[in-house]
Amino acid sequence: MNHKRLLTIDDEEAIQIVIKFGINMAAGWEVLSASNGKIGIEIAQRELPDAILLDVMMPEMDGIATFKALQANPITAGIPAIFLTAKAQAAERRQFNELGVSGIITKPFNSLDLPDRITKILNW
């Protein structure tokens, strides 16, 4: 797999760590982390990652609001985003797809499988 840079936006530090280690071990990709939407947007603008893994349920600015802000910004609008969520019922999936999110990965997940799943979702 080619070297990629990802940004994980998740308020749970344990999830950030699991994602970072799993992706790094399985694919050697660089993983940046942000603990909330506001910081995530700042990092995305500055670092321009290849893709963003975005938790849906976060305090203050949730994943949907963060995604909309990223899409509204010309600097970050082209960065594909994949939602990480425990809520993956048909209605939520439809709502996420209508937003234009690139894909959905349901929690819990095996972090060592993430590079393959991300590659398939984004056709890398």
Side-chain angles (χ1 to χ4, degrees):
M1 288 186 208
N2 295 331
H3 181 77
K4 299 288 184 186
R5 291 177 75 218
L6 303 180
L7 170 60
T8 300
I9 306 174
D10 196 305
D11 60 312
E12 293 183 51
E13 187 178 359
I15 298 283
Q16 293 176 26
I17 292 168
V18 165
I19 290 172
K20 185 175 218 158
F21 282 114
I23 288 177
N24 195 277
M25 282 180 62
W29 296 349
E30 182 181 354
V31 180
L32 309 168
S33 298
S35 58
N36 64 50
K38 185 176 182 295
I39 294 169
I41 291 166
E42 292 170 7
I43 293 172
Q45 289 175 343
R46 187 176 65 243
E47 301 292 336
L48 299 175
D50 295 302
I52 297 172
L53 300 178
L54 181 54
D55 184 25
V56 174
M57 301 289 288
M58 294 186 292
E60 296 170 37
M61 186 178 204
D62 69 7
I64 293 171
T66 302
F67 178 73
K68 287 180 178 177
L70 289 164
Q71 292 299 296
N73 183 330
I75 296 169
T76 55
I79 302 171
I82 298 171
F83 277 163
L84 301 174
T85 183
K87 297 173 72 174
Q89 302 301 320
E92 282 95 5
R93 285 184 175 275
R94 210 168 22 258
Q95 177 192 13
F96 300 155
N97 288 332
E98 287 169 3
L99 286 172
V101 70
S102 296
I104 302 161
I105 294 175
T106 54
K107 294 178 181 180
F109 50 77
N110 181 335
S111 63
L112 295 173
D113 293 338
L114 285 175
D116 285 337
R117 293 179 72 183
I118 293 165
T119 298
K120 284 185 181 100
I121 289 169
L122 299 179
N123 297 311
W124 281 350

